[in-house]
């Protein structure tokens, strides 16, 4: 190999450089006080630390922090050497040449940026190269991937500082924008909300001369630059659809990728996505930073609208099938696929970790009552306390990262409402109305109040989704909405979902007039309506119900005459074995009626299914009865099961 390919960049970093003008330049780091303190701990000549491992996704300011380390190290008499993994050939000889003690001097500060590019040599680095450096040496590593377990064993755990780089908080982000020349407070706060604490996104938005907020569909060039910086270097063209799926889904799981891309491509596509450094690993699966996800989703929609529509519908089918099978939490993921901002106002679970849902505590009461009073709900706690005392979990609050309540919701169901709800001036009449319905799968909101009144926070949607997830219902058929006159967002949401006003149920709570509107989601419930909306936005017509996997349906058909086994099927729902078996049987019965038309072929498929599974005839008996050869019979049976799976509703 030509020696010039083994020569990495190694340079002394002067006190002031053009690098200071880059995002988060070393002379102007903001919001990194704790991180700079760890740099100083590393540089302490009497300290035990020798390695600082900085890691975060792209765009979070790792390189800026590394430049700060070089400046501070040089001031302490160390000799900085910057090595970039992009400039080092992935062979041991190149890394060895870069770290020759003779070249580095007696007091080196070795800074390895973009370390993920050469992370395959990490064992060699620890076992051979770093031990050769003088004891006065300090090493700073910047990587998109966390440190492997080797940094926590064999003595390295005593010398290594693990530094995950967090997002910037709101105060720091605003200060950064002010430094970048954004002097309009409204625009600054909109950019902060959009950027999600990512320093690079803040700087790119601040430098955008268009002046607007780079939201979806606007300032696309800002998002494009951000996405190029973060993902382009890792796109090898092998799995473009995998990236598109990650751009659309809230969280990607192996099962989802297989369901969307098929058994032949799904597993390898997921493995490829899992190996990308711009992907965040969650307990549920893989996810992209919200800005990156939005950028990729917008790009797919613009360049390949048919692929966008196809993938969204496949994702909706997969999530719908699982949600209807008992995983109600996936209603959040279904809502994530929606694009209509009017519907997302009440459906969509916001990204990010700033807010969370919790139950009301006694310590919240003073703040909550004060906030609701400012919004016109006077004496709220007096009429809420009886409900809270009988069932504390009935009152939910949205909290920020400092545990401060930012919103409150109170919702009940006909079968789980505390006794005091029947005496409530609003819930009492609503419960009587809901209990008179044949289908009692209803959720009734007495209030859903966002204290901030800031639509950018999207707290209204959290206050709408959380009670559904905590309701205990496997699917919601009816939603009783408390609308306040003059709330355009709530009125638009109700209108978009064809909510029906029921004037006789209008009332008052805590001094506030409330208008009752009821949404009937139809036989498919909330889960089915969410899927239908995704299809409608994609310009497609959904099948009658979920596209259940044919193997799942076939297994349920085999157990059709055994309630105990049928109750274990994913298509069953409910709590008790008899209820689950009954609902599964009803779904299959309805699907048999709607899956086939009046034609001869359809009639033959229906007869094959009915005889083979509903009547319990053997395959030979059915084939003889319908006058088909064995091969033709099994072909018809496979076709019929596929059709049944398409027609199966929740």
């Amino acid at each position: 190999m030509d020696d010039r390919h083994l020569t990495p960049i190694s340079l002394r970093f002067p006190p002031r450089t053009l690098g200071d003008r880059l995002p988060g330049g070393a002379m102007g780091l903001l919001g990194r006080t704790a991180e700079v303190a760890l740099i100083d701990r590393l540089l302490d000549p009497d300290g035990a630390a020798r390695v600082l491992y900085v890691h975060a996704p792209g765009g979070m300011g790792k390189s800026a922090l590394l430049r700060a380390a070089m400046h501070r190290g040089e001031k302490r008499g160390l000799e900085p050497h910057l090595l970039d993994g992009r400039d080092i050939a992935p062979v041991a000889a190149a890394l060895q040449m870069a770290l020759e003690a003779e070249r580095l001097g007696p007091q080196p500060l070795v800074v390895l940026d973009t370390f993920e590019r050469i992370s395959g040599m990490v064992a060699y680095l620890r076992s051979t190269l770093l031990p050769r450096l003088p004891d006065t040496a300090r090493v700073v590593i910047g990587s998109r991937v966390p440190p492997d377990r080797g940094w926590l064993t064999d003595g390295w755990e005593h010398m290594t500082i693990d530094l995950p780089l967090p997002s910037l908080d709101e105060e720091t982000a605003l200060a950064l924008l002010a430094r970048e020349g954004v002097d309009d407070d409204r625009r600054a706060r909109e950019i902060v909300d959009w950027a999600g604490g990512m320093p690079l996104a803040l700087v790119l938005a601040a430098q955008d001369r268009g002046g607007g907020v780079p939201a979806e569909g606007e300032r696309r060039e800002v998002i494009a630059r951000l996405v190029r910086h973060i993902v382009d270097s890792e796109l090898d063209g092998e799995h473009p659809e995998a990236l598109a799926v990650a751009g659309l889904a809230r969280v990607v799981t192996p099962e989802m990728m297989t369901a969307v891309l098929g058994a032949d491509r799904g597993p390898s596509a997921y493995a490829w996505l899992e190996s990308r450094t711009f992907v965040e690993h969650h307990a549920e699966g893989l996810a992209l930073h919200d800005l990156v996800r939005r950028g990729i989703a917008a790009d797919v929609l613009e360049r390949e609208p048919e692929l966008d529509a196809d993938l969204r519908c496949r994702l909706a089918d997969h999530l719908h099938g699982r949600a209807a099978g008992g995983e109600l939490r996936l209603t959040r993921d279904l809502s994530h696929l929606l694009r209509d901002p009017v519907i997302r106002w009440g459906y969509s679970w916001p990204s990010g970790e700033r807010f969370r849902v919790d139950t009301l505590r006694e310590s919240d009461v003073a703040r909550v009552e004060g906030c609701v009073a400012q919004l016109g709900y006077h004496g709220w706690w007096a009429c809420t306390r009886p409900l809270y005392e009988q069932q504390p979990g009935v009152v939910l609050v949205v909290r920020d990262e400092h545990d401060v309540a930012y919103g409150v919701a109170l919702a009940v169901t006909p079968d789980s409402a505390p006794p005091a709800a029947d005496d409530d001036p609003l819930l009492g009449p609503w419960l009587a109305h809901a209990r008179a319905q044949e289908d009692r799968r209803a959720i009734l909101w007495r209030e859903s109040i966002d204290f901030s009144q800031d639509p950018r926070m999207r707290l209204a949607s959290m206050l709408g989704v959380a009670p559904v997830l905590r309701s205990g219902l496997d699917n919601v058929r009816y939603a009783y909405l408390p609308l306040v006159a003059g709330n355009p967002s709530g009125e638009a949401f109700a209108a978009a979902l064809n909510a029906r006003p029921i004037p006789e149920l209008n009332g008052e709570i805590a001094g506030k007039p409330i208008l009752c509107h009821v949404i009937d989601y139809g036989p498919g419930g909330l889960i089915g309506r969410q899927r239908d909306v995704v299809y409608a936005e994609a310009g497609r017509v959904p099948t009658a119900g979920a596209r259940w996997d044919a193997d799942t349906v076939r297994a349920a058909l085999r157990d059709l005459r055994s309630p105990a086994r049928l109750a274990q099927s994913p298509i069953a729902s409910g709590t008790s074995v008899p209820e689950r078996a009954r609902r599964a049987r009803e779904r299959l019965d309805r699907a048999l009626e709607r899956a086939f038309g009046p034609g001869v072929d359809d009639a033959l498929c229906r007869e094959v299914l009915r005889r083979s599974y509903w009547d319990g005839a053997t395959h030979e008996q059915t084939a003889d009865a319908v006058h088909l050869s064995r091969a033709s019979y099994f072909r018809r049976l496979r076709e019929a099961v596929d059709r049944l799976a398409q027609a199966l509703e929740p």
Side-chain angles (χ1 to χ4, degrees):
M1 180 180 290
D2 191 327
D3 282 350
R4 64 176 176 236
H5 295 300
L6 298 179
T7 305
I9 295 176
S10 180
L11 53 101
R12 299 188 72 236
F13 212 78
R16 291 181 180 272
T17 73
L18 290 177
D20 295 337
R21 294 185 176 271
L22 297 174
M27 301 303 291
L29 283 173
L30 289 172
R32 298 302 190 195
T33 304
E35 290 77 6
V36 170
L38 290 178
I39 291 175
D40 290 340
R41 177 181 157 196
L42 172 77
L43 300 176
D44 183 354
D46 298 323
R50 293 295 183 271
V51 178
L52 178 67
Y53 196 112
V54 184
H55 57 96
M60 295 304 296
K62 294 184 301 297
S63 295
L65 196 67
L66 266 54
R67 289 194 296 272
M70 297 180 76
H71 280 290
R72 300 177 83 83
E74 189 168 48
K75 289 180 179 179
R76 290 174 178 255
L78 299 177
E79 184 176 356
H81 296 267
L82 175 63
L83 309 173
D84 195 310
R86 292 170 293 191
D87 301 317
I88 301 177
V91 294
L95 191 58
Q96 180 180 353
M97 181 180 294
L99 295 177
E100 287 179 349
E102 295 77 9
R103 296 181 67 247
L104 298 177
Q107 289 186 296
L109 172 59
V110 177
V111 178
L112 280 167
D113 200 1
T114 326
F115 185 68
E116 67 274 4
R117 291 295 191 90
I118 55 172
S119 59
M121 294 188 286
V122 65
Y124 177 62
L125 179 72
R126 278 196 305 263
S127 66
T128 304
L129 299 183
L130 293 187
R132 293 176 180 174
L133 297 181
D135 186 58
T136 55
R138 298 295 188 271
V139 179
V140 181
I141 295 174
S143 177
R144 291 188 176 189
V145 297
D148 69 299
R149 291 186 58 81
W151 294 106
L152 304 176
T153 58
D154 299 328
W156 286 105
E157 68 273 20
H158 304 301
M159 294 190 292
T160 303
I161 301 173
D162 178 11
L163 175 53
L165 206 55
S167 302
L168 298 180
D169 60 32
E170 182 179 11
E171 181 181 355
T172 302
L174 288 171
L176 188 153
L177 290 175
R179 191 190 69 179
E180 294 295 326
V182 179
D183 53 10
D184 180 88
D185 183 68
R186 177 179 175 83
R187 180 179 177 234
R189 292 187 180 279
E190 288 176 341
I191 291 175
V192 168
D193 181 64
W194 171 83
M198 181 184 286
L200 179 62
L202 290 164
V203 172
L204 290 178
Q207 294 174 349
D208 177 42
R209 299 311 173 195
V213 179
E216 286 182 87
E218 302 174 3
R219 304 297 170 204
R220 288 286 313 285
E221 66 277 7
V222 177
I223 296 181
R225 288 172 62 194
L226 181 71
V227 172
R228 279 198 302 272
H229 174 87
I230 294 174
V231 309
D232 268 11
S233 63
E234 297 184 65
L235 299 184
D236 52 21
E238 187 176 347
H239 292 287
E241 287 186 340
L243 194 62
V245 171
L248 293 171
R250 186 185 70 88
V251 176
V252 180
T253 65
E255 297 80 11
M256 174 187 290
M257 196 70 85
T258 297
V260 173
L261 299 184
D264 55 335
R265 291 181 296 157
S268 60
Y270 186 85
W272 175 85
L273 188 66
E274 190 175 29
S275 68
R276 304 301 95 178
T277 64
F278 54 79
V279 171
E280 300 174 0
H281 293 248
H282 296 261
E284 299 171 81
L286 307 176
L288 302 178
H289 185 283
D290 188 52
L291 274 179
V292 177
R293 181 198 61 75
R294 286 162 52 190
I296 291 172
D299 186 67
V300 173
L301 177 61
E302 180 179 356
R303 294 175 184 271
E304 299 185 72
E306 284 301 312
L307 175 63
D308 170 82
D310 190 43
L311 291 180
R312 287 177 68 212
C313 290
R314 288 192 221 170
L315 283 166
D317 286 336
H318 169 70
L319 293 168
H320 176 258
R322 290 178 58 192
E327 299 180 72
L328 183 61
R329 61 183 175 78
L330 293 178
T331 186
R332 294 183 306 162
D333 298 72
L334 269 169
S335 70
H336 186 82
L337 298 174
L338 303 173
R339 288 207 167 111
D340 185 339
V342 172
I343 298 179
R344 286 178 66 87
W345 175 86
Y347 265 161
S348 182
W349 193 268
S351 302
E353 299 179 352
R354 179 181 177 188
F355 296 101
R356 61 187 175 86
V357 175
D358 192 12
T359 54
L360 181 75
R361 306 170 190 163
E362 288 282 0
S363 57
D364 298 319
V365 171
R367 169 178 167 78
V368 170
E369 183 161 33
C371 289
V372 298
Q374 289 182 358
L375 296 173
Y377 297 83
H378 301 285
W380 172 83
W381 182 238
C383 59
T384 302
R385 178 180 283 280
L387 298 168
Y388 175 80
E389 290 177 341
Q390 290 183 1
Q391 190 173 307
V394 76
V395 185
L396 302 180
V397 296
V398 170
R399 304 183 188 281
D400 69 358
E401 67 271 29
H402 304 299
D403 228 23
V404 177
Y406 268 76
V408 63
L410 194 162
V412 300
T413 69
D415 296 326
S416 66
D422 290 311
D423 298 323
D424 187 84
L426 201 67
L427 290 179
W430 291 16
L431 283 167
H433 186 273
R435 287 167 179 157
Q437 306 304 311
E438 182 178 351
D439 191 333
R440 291 163 61 105
R441 295 177 300 162
I443 184 165
L444 301 79
W445 277 265
R446 196 184 74 172
E447 60 255 347
S448 178
I449 309 172
D450 171 9
F451 302 158
S452 73
Q453 298 293 291
D454 185 346
R456 295 172 302 165
M457 291 187 178
R458 294 169 57 192
L459 299 185
S461 58
M462 292 187 77
L463 294 166
V465 174
V468 173
L469 298 179
R470 291 173 177 247
S471 68
L473 300 173
D474 60 353
N475 197 359
V476 175
R477 171 68 185 265
Y478 299 106
Y480 287 67
L481 305 181
L483 296 186
V484 178
N487 180 354
S489 297
E491 292 172 352
F493 175 76
L497 293 172
N498 300 315
R500 179 169 59 96
I502 306 183
E504 61 268 27
L505 293 182
N506 293 347
E508 181 180 292
I509 192 72
K512 195 81 166 180
I514 301 296
L515 308 178
C516 179
H517 284 61
V518 177
I519 300 173
D520 180 355
Y521 292 116
L526 168 61
I527 297 168
R529 178 67 71 88
Q530 287 179 312
R531 176 178 176 269
D532 289 349
V533 172
V534 172
Y535 264 80
E537 291 182 342
R540 301 189 177 186
V541 178
T543 54
R547 290 183 179 177
W548 292 87
D549 180 88
D551 290 337
T552 299
V553 175
R554 188 175 292 107
L557 290 172
R558 293 193 189 105
D559 295 332
L560 197 59
R561 301 165 70 82
S562 173
R565 291 198 301 269
L566 182 59
Q568 299 176 25
S569 170
I571 72 173
S573 62
T575 54
S576 66
V577 169
E579 181 186 17
R580 289 179 60 82
R582 175 179 59 79
R583 289 192 178 181
R585 176 65 184 251
E586 289 173 350
R587 288 170 179 167
L588 290 168
D589 288 344
R590 289 194 296 268
L592 183 66
E593 292 303 315
R594 67 162 54 92
F596 308 101
V600 175
D601 286 345
D602 276 22
L604 182 58
C605 285
R606 184 190 300 109
E607 186 68 6
V608 164
L609 270 181
R610 186 184 62 77
R611 286 179 177 272
S612 298
Y613 294 112
W614 271 260
D615 295 346
T618 66
H619 293 309
E620 290 76 11
Q621 289 171 336
T622 302
D624 288 343
V626 297
H627 310 294
L628 290 174
S629 67
R630 184 177 178 84
S632 296
Y633 161 75
F634 280 110
R635 178 174 60 81
R636 290 286 187 178
L637 185 62
R638 283 193 299 272
E639 178 186 347
V641 172
D642 287 341
R643 294 274 296 278
L644 191 74
Q646 293 290 327
L648 195 63
E649 67 176 14

